[in-house]
Amino acid sequence: MDKGSQADALVFFGATGDLAYKQIFPALQALVGRHQFDLPIVGVAKSGWDVDRLRARARASIEQHGSFDAPAFAKLAALLRYVDGDYNDDATYGQLRECLARATRPLHYLAIPPSMFAPVVEGLARSGCAADARVVVEKPFGRDLASARLLNAILHRYFDEASIFRIDHFLGREPVQNILYTRFANRVFEPMWDRTHVRCVQITLAERFGVQGRGRFYEEAGAIRDVIQNHLLQVLACFAMDPPAGGSVDAIRDEKSRLLKSVRPLAPADVVRGQFLGYRDEAGVAADSRVETFAAVRLFIDSWRWADVPFYIRSGKCLPVTVDEVVVEFKRPPRDTFAENCPDSPNRLRFRLSPDVVIAIGMRVKRAGERMAGENVELVATHRQGDEMMPYERLLGDALRGNASLFAREDAVEAQWNVVDPVLGNVTPLYEYPVASWGPPEADRVLVPGDAWIDPQVQ
């Protein structure tokens, strides 16, 4: 299918699953209501359902996880079709081909485990449903570099790279989009966006809650695989990449990939892993589990712009607050003119991605009085949420239009795995930490002498 052509049908495998219930149906109603989406929507699963039950499931999904809009839902319900069958059975794909009728440019969304990608894409190819089609695949894109390459090889047997859309919902969030826009729409940042001025960068994704009944899933993932390898390395790329050249769809992805390829692979000394007390009591978790629910890492980018600047990433569950935040800490002035001997640098740029959206600049100003003494303050710009698109609404709409700019490309995915591959598994110690703490105190070991963690504060 041509890069810019509009798909004429949407097929989603895993139609009765958890992801469809929490994310896909609300996004589809938004596409129908806000964007006049008017294409056949075919759900595929092996659940013994019919289309009426799928419509009831869609309504329950939107009522619980979206905002029910009666006219938009009526249009969505009319567009829905359903194929019930085994993903390993050719008859399933024969039914799908009949259901697609005259559609010749379908978008196939695989909201299924990666272990099922091979039989599904092979079934699509044998039935003719893969011709001139696109495919969307959900993360995780493998469990390590080798499995990611294997998955890519399977997909490339039947789809070229331009037709493969690797979805990471984090990239569809409005605040993440705002990182790129703020950086490259304002010239003020570029002169100081380098090793000469930046002391360190800290990226924090903290969750106050635990695994919420998903212990079995988390045992197969852990913090490094679940969020650092994908979401947070992409955020790092948004902050550290060079300005894109030209206006093509691939311009931003080219620069992200170039940056990610220059990130030095992690060594054991760059990583501290933790596990919150009580994790092993969760359903589905092994009594002797060595899976991390917290990780702190120190990264370096081997480029002229960022040489020797530490990038710290910290993520975990059962921390004091739920917040996503990036702080760029600038170097102190070369001389302390007012002899205040401040231990930390007041000059910071803070991007909060959630729960609220904030851009803040930290600086030191004079405190009222006769003495030339100061205090640290922040100039804060708070974004008030308006009629924003949900991540899946944005990403599904882009995939249907053939716009791949917010999707992970093969070379970027493999570069991200290359960064974390050396520290996957139990190659580093695991430290326990209390619930509602900022992880194990050993996390300080990844800090360069003189640096300190900047703990986000949530009102």
Side-chain angles (χ1 to χ4, degrees):
M1 189 191 299
D2 293 340
K3 282 186 179 182
S5 61
Q6 172 79 34
D8 57 4
L10 171 63
V11 179
F12 67 108
F13 290 80
T16 61
D18 193 54
L19 180 64
Y21 187 73
K22 291 181 178 178
Q23 301 286 354
I24 297 175
F25 287 122
L28 289 175
Q29 180 191 256
L31 285 168
V32 170
R34 192 176 353 216
H35 306 280
Q36 287 72 55
F37 178 85
D38 188 23
L39 303 174
I41 303 170
V42 184
V44 184
K46 185 185 178 183
S47 298
W49 289 17
D50 59 18
V51 69
D52 290 334
R53 188 166 177 185
L54 185 69
R55 288 169 179 150
R57 173 81 166 177
R59 178 170 184 140
S61 157
I62 295 164
E63 288 175 343
Q64 183 170 352
H65 297 286
S67 178
F68 186 76
D69 178 332
F73 180 77
K75 294 178 184 177
L76 171 60
L79 295 171
L80 281 175
R81 312 284 187 271
Y82 181 66
V83 171
D84 193 84
D86 192 312
Y87 297 155
N88 291 295
D89 187 350
D90 282 346
T92 301
Y93 303 95
Q95 293 179 57
L96 174 59
R97 182 63 269 172
E98 292 179 12
C99 204
L100 287 172
R102 298 180 182 178
T104 58
R105 302 184 307 279
L107 174 72
H108 300 291
Y109 183 0
L110 309 189
I112 54 177
S115 59
M116 295 306 301
F117 287 177
V120 168
V121 296
E122 288 167 0
L124 291 173
R126 286 195 299 269
S127 63
C129 294
D132 293 322
R134 299 189 186 109
V135 63
V136 177
V137 294
E138 273 283 347
K139 80 169 191 74
F141 313 121
R143 286 184 47 78
D144 51 25
L145 181 58
S147 59
R149 286 174 171 164
L150 179 60
L151 278 178
N152 283 328
I154 290 169
L155 293 170
H156 284 145
R157 290 178 198 164
Y158 309 104
F159 298 92
D160 60 29
E161 180 62 24
S163 299
I164 300 171
F165 291 68
R166 299 170 188 84
I167 196 168
D168 182 344
H169 73 275
F170 215 73
L171 297 182
R173 294 171 58 188
E174 192 72 33
V176 177
Q177 295 281 289
N178 201 25
I179 295 172
L180 285 174
Y181 188 87
T182 302
R183 268 204 64 196
F184 300 125
N186 299 285
R187 186 173 179 177
V188 65
F189 298 116
E190 183 61 24
M192 57 184 181
W193 215 253
D194 58 27
R195 66 188 304 271
T196 303
H197 299 89
V198 175
R199 173 175 171 168
C200 70
V201 177
Q202 297 194 23
I203 302 173
T204 300
L205 193 163
E207 294 173 331
R208 192 173 183 177
F209 49 86
V211 295
Q212 297 183 317
R214 300 169 69 233
R216 190 176 304 280
F217 161 79
Y218 214 76
E219 282 288 274
E220 298 297 321
I224 295 175
R225 284 188 173 96
D226 189 37
V227 294
I228 291 179
Q229 182 274 335
N230 39 71
H231 301 332
L232 300 184
L233 282 179
Q234 283 287 332
V235 171
L236 180 149
C238 290
F239 265 88
M241 62 183 269
D242 285 333
S248 70
V249 167
D250 273 327
I252 291 176
R253 299 206 298 175
D254 287 342
E255 293 303 331
K256 280 186 180 180
S257 294
R258 186 175 293 114
L259 185 283
L260 290 166
K261 290 173 185 176
S262 68
V263 178
R264 194 182 305 169
L266 287 166
D270 300 319
V271 179
V272 169
R273 299 185 309 129
Q275 185 184 90
F276 69 80
L277 289 165
Y279 172 71
R280 294 175 183 176
D281 298 327
E282 296 275 351
V285 173
D288 59 350
S289 174
R290 302 289 297 168
V291 171
E292 77 280 354
T293 61
F294 170 95
V297 305
R298 175 183 60 225
L299 294 158
F300 290 98
I301 299 171
D302 291 327
S303 69
W304 278 32
R305 182 191 286 265
W306 296 114
D308 300 323
V309 175
F311 284 73
Y312 302 116
I313 295 179
R314 183 174 50 161
S315 180
K317 294 187 178 295
C318 289
L319 301 185
V321 295
T322 296
V323 64
D324 303 346
E325 186 167 281
V326 185
V327 177
V328 180
E329 184 170 354
F330 295 98
K331 293 180 178 179
R332 291 178 53 79
R335 180 176 176 273
D336 194 348
T337 302
F338 303 106
E340 292 187 285
N341 193 28
C342 299
D344 61 344
S345 173
N347 297 145
R348 296 171 178 171
L349 181 63
R350 180 167 64 90
F351 279 75
R352 174 161 295 175
L353 309 180
S354 72
D356 48 349
V357 181
V358 172
I359 300 176
I361 298 175
M363 62 181 62
R364 195 161 180 82
V365 299
K366 183 182 178 299
R367 185 182 289 120
E370 293 184 7
R371 294 180 59 245
M372 292 296 282
E375 60 183 342
N376 295 346
V377 300
E378 272 195 332
L379 306 179
V380 179
T382 302
H383 172 69
R384 296 184 177 178
Q385 293 187 358
D387 190 23
E388 294 180 355
M389 285 193 284
M390 297 175 288
Y392 276 88
E393 176 190 352
R394 183 194 306 276
L395 293 169
L396 279 175
D398 281 357
L400 287 162
R401 290 186 292 271
N403 180 356
S405 60
L406 297 181
F407 294 82
R409 205 167 60 188
E410 175 186 20
D411 55 345
V413 169
E414 294 186 3
Q416 288 166 243
W417 278 119
N418 188 61
V419 171
V420 303
D421 223 41
V423 297
L424 294 177
N426 295 317
V427 300
T428 59
L430 186 72
Y431 303 98
E432 291 187 326
Y433 63 95
V435 170
S437 71
W438 280 105
E442 288 83 359
D444 290 352
R445 294 177 184 174
V446 305
L447 297 171
V448 170
D451 288 346
W453 291 112
I454 302 169
D455 294 338
Q457 304 297 316
V458 176
Q459 301 298 325

